[in-house]
Amino acid sequence: MTDPTQYRLNKYISDTGFCSRRQADKYIEQGVVTVNGEVAPVGLKVVDGDDVKIAGKALQQKPDRIYLAYHKPVGIICTTERHIKGNIIDAIGYPQRIFPIGRLDKPSEGLIFLTNDGDIVNKVLRAGNAHEKEYSVTVNKPITANFISKMANGVPILDTVTLPCTVTQVSKNTFKIILTQGLNRQIRRMAEYLGYEVIKLKRTRIMHVRLAELRPGQWRLLDKFELSQMEQLLQHSNKTANDCNAIEQDDEE
């Protein structure tokens, strides 16, 4: 007989949509969380079917997992903090609790995923998993072959050198770049190092999912084929790693 899957209590609570993991930890520390009638200690693990209550209130069943593709417009901020004007959660208005996977900075636009599945986040963002993100970038002056070559082969920013990537000139001032990293404002910093200013940045693809016909402000749920492809791509991806460069912020872009 297979043993039931165990979950950390804070994750179990968060997955129901009741609150974030951080808030769940606070409730546990305050002693208001019970499991099967007993006050739950910090670090407790639970299984499906356990009777979990917060301040005597039973949790709802775990919701179905949600994976949403959104065309973030310029000006929207990738934060779940509802008091911040222009936050991505209010902009979408989805009826269930979701959060963004990674970021696009305020002046940028394009594709971003939102989900209620905490397990998927680091699998998508970790550079070591080599999941591609594609961008269309317009700069303030004509692009040269030297610029394309240096962008592709690595630029020193943020006390490191960016990983080699694919860069293709599209027009006089526009290029396409495919990254497996997501350092803080990476593309803007790379261009700036080479004497260019980014005036427009749009993410057009994450892994196999494309922005396609989504207009700014529109969103859609990923379809069954996209979810199947994602499951295959993430099957051997790590959620955690020991090296100091493992986590990328995906904070450009």
Side-chain angles (χ1 to χ4, degrees):
M1 181 176 177
T2 304
D3 291 333
T5 302
Q6 293 187 326
Y7 309 91
R8 291 187 64 86
L9 180 55
N10 62 350
K11 180 184 183 310
Y12 184 92
I13 294 171
S14 176
D15 283 352
T16 68
F18 186 88
C19 62
S20 67
R21 290 194 196 189
R22 183 178 299 177
Q23 185 60 52
D25 283 331
K26 292 180 180 179
Y27 287 140
I28 295 167
E29 291 167 1
Q30 292 166 5
V32 299
V33 180
T34 61
V35 177
N36 301 326
E38 301 289 335
V39 175
V42 174
L44 180 70
K45 292 186 178 181
V46 297
V47 299
D48 288 324
D50 281 338
D51 179 24
V52 180
K53 294 181 179 179
I54 299 179
K57 182 178 179 180
L59 296 179
Q60 297 178 349
Q61 291 185 341
K62 293 183 181 181
D64 292 335
R65 291 183 176 181
I66 299 162
Y67 305 98
L68 184 150
Y70 175 56
H71 186 159
K72 187 195 88 67
V74 172
I76 295 300
I77 303 170
C78 293
T79 179
T80 59
E81 300 292 332
R82 304 291 289 275
H83 65 276
I84 296 177
K85 185 177 180 180
N87 72 80
I88 194 170
I89 303 303
D90 285 343
I92 293 176
Y94 197 78
Q96 298 181 42
R97 177 178 173 267
I98 55 174
F99 48 86
I101 301 178
R103 293 168 54 97
L104 279 168
D105 71 7
K106 188 175 180 180
S108 302
E109 68 170 293
L111 181 63
I112 187 166
F113 294 154
L114 293 97
T115 185
N116 61 350
D117 179 5
D119 287 338
I120 199 175
V121 176
N122 282 344
K123 287 184 177 183
V124 173
L125 298 184
R126 243 174 238 289
N129 292 331
H131 298 309
E132 293 184 347
K133 298 184 290 289
E134 183 175 330
Y135 302 83
S136 173
V137 187
T138 301
V139 289
N140 63 328
K141 59 184 181 181
I143 294 165
T144 65
N146 183 56
F147 172 83
I148 295 294
S149 175
K150 288 185 175 180
M151 289 286 286
N153 288 295
V155 175
I157 60 169
L158 299 172
D159 300 319
T160 189
V161 177
T162 59
L163 295 176
C165 59
T166 301
V167 184
T168 306
Q169 185 167 354
V170 175
S171 65
K172 182 179 178 181
N173 288 52
T174 300
F175 64 94
K176 178 178 74 176
I177 183 168
I178 301 173
L179 300 179
T180 57
Q181 275 182 298
L183 300 175
N184 184 275
R185 298 175 66 84
Q186 179 174 341
I187 296 171
R188 296 178 188 276
R189 291 179 189 274
M190 291 170 72
E192 182 180 2
Y193 179 85
L194 297 174
Y196 288 74
E197 179 185 353
V198 172
I199 58 176
K200 183 177 181 180
L201 192 153
K202 178 191 289 188
R203 182 154 64 195
T204 58
R205 177 172 64 88
I206 301 173
M207 298 188 293
H208 59 293
V209 180
R210 295 187 176 275
L211 188 63
E213 72 281 356
L214 277 181
R215 296 191 298 272
Q218 288 187 327
W219 60 266
R220 65 174 179 83
L221 296 174
L222 299 189
D223 62 36
K224 291 182 179 180
F225 176 76
E226 289 169 329
L227 292 174
S228 176
Q229 291 289 99
M230 180 177 290
E231 184 176 346
Q232 292 180 37
L233 288 169
L234 298 179
Q235 185 175 6
H236 301 294
S237 297
N238 294 319
K239 291 189 297 183
T240 58
N242 294 323
D243 65 283
C244 61
N245 295 319
I247 292 181
E248 301 298 340
Q249 295 183 49
D250 192 35
D251 193 18
E252 168 72 40
E253 274 137 353

